[in-house]
Amino acid sequence: MHGIPHHLLGTVPVHHEYTVQEFERDALQKISEIHSRNHVPILVGGTHYYVQSVMFGKSLVRQPRLDPDLRKFERSNEHKSNVELWNELREKDPVMAENWHANNRRKVLRSLEVLHTTGRKHSEWVWETEMARKHEDVLRCPSLLFWLHADTHVLNERLDARVDLMVGRGMFGELEQLGREMRDQGVELSQEDYTTGVKQAIGFREFQPYFHALHTNAPDIDAHKAAGIVDMKTSTRRYAKRQISWLRNKLVPECQTTLEKTRHARVFVLDATDLTQWTSSVRDEGLRLTRMFLANDTLPDPALLSPAAAELLGDVKPPNSVLAWKRHLCHVCSTKDVQVWLNGDDEFQQHQKSRRHRRNVQWQRKNAREEQADRNGYAKATHEEQTGTCEKFTQGEPTDTNDSDKPVQGEASI
């Protein structure tokens, strides 16, 4: 680590569910210690939701601490289905219910738990928090944020290569050790819930079929291993896409609102697409901006530094209100068994631009053309059959002139 002290690494047991509130508390304590030594703290990488909670006060819903046993309320509702829980939330707090899909069990339970524990609706806590963020100076410290950007196809190639590198460096042994430590702590690994604690980490869920096959001496171990690697690469690319979406739709707009207040958070895009230009485009440019920031010099317009910056920062919309969200059902991507719901207009618009949605639109149009062609072909064939029948009657020998015995056009004679 080049002699630079790194904090909060290896400090949380694998069986402990480390919440964003705990990270906020621990990170702020370390930042205060670094400031006391007249040094500059650098918050690196990770989940942007956690980064935002440290940068901004009241970025999270402020409420009395809930039961320290995070799973107690969840266990008390295990007998209820997802739909039953969502209907209960819709009855008691319809505003929050409108934000969550019925299958998003964890968030539905969270909203119900807030109401159950505090006696107040979750939507009321959210509203108070948003009003505070709107009218107060909630940025904790003047901040400089660097967004290392790479074009999508380049980024995806790097992410895939990173997974291969992790495998080569002993990832399977690390996962095996992690599983043993969790089992020693009484953590159930065979359950389908991968939404809590370290089980959320990419790679944990993807390789459970492989480890199950390994421990049961199944014949298809190598196939499970290969499938797990493919799934991990897919999950990593999806996660990167969500992170970029969070930056564009949440963190960057939140930083933009600080420019009207006392303390400012400035976001700069450093284009890391071409690694041969890393020294000039990323390292030197980042150092130049950092020196200006620390010297309180006037910083340049972030959107003017590069074409990538202009695209990503040129049209920043105000932060969305959670309470203004409207759920959208994508009829194109939904199936009989799976419904695709999007929270808010921005998420829905982003989904409509996604490769998956565009591919499904093309597929539906192709099917519609084929169905129309089939209908046209059937209509043409029917018309020819009818015409041929009439010709037989007109070209044959005259029959009895009794009109009642003449075949009607289009009907078959017996």
Side-chain angles (χ1 to χ4, degrees):
M1 297 184 180
H2 304 287
I4 300 173
H6 285 63
H7 305 275
L8 301 184
L9 295 178
T11 59
V12 181
V14 295
H15 65 279
H16 177 67
E17 185 173 349
Y18 194 54
T19 66
V20 65
Q21 288 86 359
E22 290 174 303
F23 173 75
E24 178 185 11
R25 177 200 65 203
D26 296 342
L28 290 175
Q29 180 181 342
K30 289 298 179 182
I31 289 173
S32 179
E33 293 174 4
I34 294 170
H35 278 154
S36 69
R37 297 192 295 270
N38 292 322
H39 291 172
V40 178
I42 303 175
L43 195 59
V44 181
T47 303
H48 300 318
Y49 176 52
Y50 280 54
V51 171
Q52 191 164 335
S53 74
V54 174
M55 290 179 61
F56 294 90
K58 299 184 178 178
S59 62
L60 304 174
V61 177
R62 296 304 172 192
Q63 58 198 33
R65 182 172 293 276
L66 302 182
D67 196 304
D69 182 354
L70 298 175
R71 304 273 71 83
K72 182 177 180 180
F73 187 79
E74 181 176 330
R75 289 195 299 270
S76 68
N77 287 275
E78 284 180 341
H79 63 285
K80 298 179 182 178
S81 68
N82 291 350
V83 173
E84 288 174 330
L85 289 170
W86 187 81
N87 285 335
E88 182 180 342
L89 181 61
R90 183 175 61 176
E91 179 181 345
K92 297 178 179 178
D93 191 352
V95 175
M96 289 308 297
E98 184 62 25
N99 288 279
W100 313 135
H101 187 280
N103 290 338
N104 197 335
R105 186 181 184 90
R106 191 179 186 195
K107 289 189 175 181
V108 171
L109 277 169
R110 175 67 173 177
S111 293
L112 286 171
E113 185 182 15
V114 170
L115 177 62
H116 173 79
T117 306
T118 69
R120 296 182 60 195
K121 297 177 182 178
H122 196 183
S123 57
E124 294 177 357
W125 290 106
V126 172
W127 183 83
E128 289 183 4
T129 299
E130 292 189 350
M131 289 301 100
R133 290 165 56 197
K134 184 175 181 179
H135 299 292
E136 298 176 17
D137 204 354
V138 295
L139 182 67
R140 289 191 167 102
C141 308
S143 303
L144 179 65
L145 190 148
F146 290 126
W147 175 356
L148 268 64
H149 167 76
D151 292 343
T152 301
H153 70 282
V154 174
L155 177 61
N156 287 341
E157 290 176 357
R158 290 178 187 169
L159 294 173
D160 287 350
R162 179 173 176 265
V163 172
D164 292 333
L165 184 62
M166 293 169 67
V167 171
R169 289 182 173 179
M171 182 184 70
F172 287 102
E174 183 178 337
L175 285 171
E176 185 74 56
Q177 179 183 354
L178 179 63
R180 285 196 300 268
E181 292 180 10
M182 295 180 69
R183 284 190 292 270
D184 290 343
Q185 295 294 331
V187 179
E188 177 60 53
L189 300 182
S190 61
Q191 60 189 9
E192 295 298 324
D193 181 16
Y194 294 96
T195 62
T196 61
V198 74
K199 289 186 289 183
Q200 300 175 82
I202 294 175
F204 193 90
R205 177 176 188 167
E206 287 77 4
F207 289 107
Q208 288 309 300
Y210 162 72
F211 283 114
H212 177 73
L214 186 66
H215 296 150
T216 57
N217 294 319
D220 51 355
I221 294 176
D222 290 339
H224 282 297
K225 184 177 183 178
I229 293 175
V230 171
D231 290 344
M232 184 175 179
K233 290 179 178 179
T234 301
S235 297
T236 302
R237 293 194 299 269
R238 287 175 178 168
Y239 181 71
K241 187 175 181 179
R242 290 197 301 270
Q243 291 289 74
I244 293 172
S245 178
W246 184 282
L247 273 169
R248 298 189 70 165
N249 299 323
K250 296 183 182 296
L251 185 52
V252 171
E254 194 71 51
C255 291
Q256 193 80 0
T257 64
T258 67
L259 303 182
E260 305 169 357
K261 299 175 183 177
T262 305
R263 293 186 290 273
H264 298 168
R266 302 298 299 270
V267 181
F268 287 89
V269 172
L270 301 178
D271 193 347
T273 300
D274 184 358
L275 293 182
T276 65
Q277 302 297 316
W278 174 273
T279 299
S280 59
S281 299
V282 179
R283 191 197 69 178
D284 293 349
E285 184 69 352
L287 287 173
R288 181 180 74 88
L289 294 168
T290 300
R291 292 188 181 104
M292 294 179 67
F293 171 74
L294 295 176
N296 289 321
D297 292 341
T298 301
L299 291 166
D301 185 341
L304 300 180
L305 292 187
S306 69
E311 178 185 353
L312 297 171
L313 303 176
D315 183 23
V316 179
K317 298 179 181 179
N320 284 334
S321 168
V322 174
L323 301 182
W325 282 359
K326 178 183 178 182
R327 292 192 306 148
H328 297 271
L329 174 64
C330 181
H331 296 281
V332 173
C333 299
S334 295
T335 65
K336 181 177 66 174
D337 300 320
V338 178
Q339 291 184 329
V340 178
W341 288 91
L342 294 311
N343 286 330
D345 295 340
D346 282 348
E347 186 173 315
F348 184 54
Q349 291 168 8
Q350 289 294 324
H351 171 76
Q352 290 177 312
K353 298 176 183 177
S354 69
R355 182 181 301 175
R356 171 190 178 187
H357 180 83
R358 296 198 307 269
R359 185 170 61 245
N360 286 339
V361 169
Q362 292 174 355
W363 181 79
Q364 284 196 357
R365 288 174 178 171
K366 179 182 177 182
N367 280 354
R369 288 194 298 268
E370 291 176 351
E371 290 175 1
Q372 184 63 44
D374 290 342
R375 287 195 295 269
N376 291 341
Y378 175 77
K380 182 179 179 180
T382 302
H383 175 71
E384 290 175 348
E385 291 172 0
Q386 293 174 344
T387 305
T389 301
C390 295
E391 289 176 349
K392 289 178 182 178
F393 289 125
T394 57
Q395 294 175 2
E397 293 295 327
T399 59
D400 196 313
T401 56
N402 189 337
D403 290 343
S404 62
D405 294 330
K406 292 181 179 179
V408 179
Q409 184 177 0
E411 290 184 354
S413 61
I414 300 177

